[in-house]
Amino acid sequence: MKDNTPRAGEQARTAILFVCLGNICRSPLAEGIFRAVVSERGLEHAFHLDSAGTGAWHAGSPPDPRSVATARRFGLDISGQRARQVEPEDFSRFDIILAMDRANVGALRQRAPKEAHERIHLFLDYALGRPEEIPDPYYGGDDGFAAVYRTIREASDALVARLAERDGSARISGQASSTI
Ligand code: 4NP
């Protein structure tokens, strides 16, 4: 049986993967914003965060300049992120996999082993109980990026608060250790 008990001096962390299509517009913003919310609450030790795309077209690229500029306007630097495609190991490495739209959810479910399906969610549904998508801003104007930013900020605030309240800052996960 898998032992989830943290060793001495080591804290188990909740691993969350944010997923969109290209990993250059929405999911880099989600990773950056969620990281900022976690940091504001002093909970960096409790999370492992990453983002990825269901597609590989932009692998190795920095986020879209419009995402970088939008984040910067709100005081965040996401320019150091690099896009990557979702890989099979992600389905065992991450506790919670949050997709931006339903096409992302579908692509993830198609690739994930059955036992990982319950970890794949539509982000706004999981965070806010609103079964809505975060629309792809790639072909739109700058307004779309600002709207995406605000929606992700609202969802991240709600989700971090809920996870922190549910499990406490020592172990924030769906599989809390019974030894704490
Ligand atoms: P993202 O946006 O999925 O939020 O990163 C897109 C980025 C690139 C493309 C589509 C969506 N593309 O077609 O290249």
Side-chain angles (χ1 to χ4, degrees), residues 37-152:
V37 171
V38 160
S39 162
E40 285 164 19
R41 289 172 165 266
L43 294 173
E44 295 94 331
H45 63 280
F47 290 95
H48 170 69
L49 305 172
D50 199 0
S51 65
T54 58
W57 311 285
H58 300 280
S61 300
D64 186 286
R66 295 165 294 176
S67 281
V68 173
T70 302
R72 193 160 281 146
R73 273 209 300 283
F74 288 91
L76 300 184
D77 180 6
I78 63 166
S79 64
Q81 293 187 36
R82 293 294 176 267
R84 72 172 180 87
Q85 188 176 27
V86 171
E87 53 194 29
E89 294 76 18
D90 289 330
F91 298 113
S92 53
R93 273 192 212 127
F94 290 91
D95 304 302
I96 305 171
I97 300 174
L98 298 174
M100 300 298 128
D101 64 35
R102 289 190 176 86
N104 306 148
V105 171
L108 287 166
R109 292 226 164 110
Q110 238 169 22
R111 290 176 214 180
K114 266 261 161 353
E115 64 270 19
H117 281 206
E118 64 185 20
R119 279 183 260 141
I120 299 168
H121 306 275
L122 191 62
F123 185 21
L124 296 186
D125 193 16
Y126 190 74
L128 296 170
R130 285 195 337 230
E132 295 165 17
E133 304 182 303
I134 296 182
D136 187 348
Y138 188 65
Y139 294 105
D142 289 347
D143 298 4
F145 283 77
V148 164
Y149 185 98
R150 282 192 288 271
T151 305
I152 291 174

Side-chain angles (χ1 to χ4, degrees), residues 20-28 57-58 104 136-139:
C20 61
L21 177 60
N23 193 208
I24 55 168
C25 296
R26 291 165 291 175
S27 59
W57 311 285
H58 300 280
N104 306 148
D136 187 348
Y138 188 65
Y139 294 105

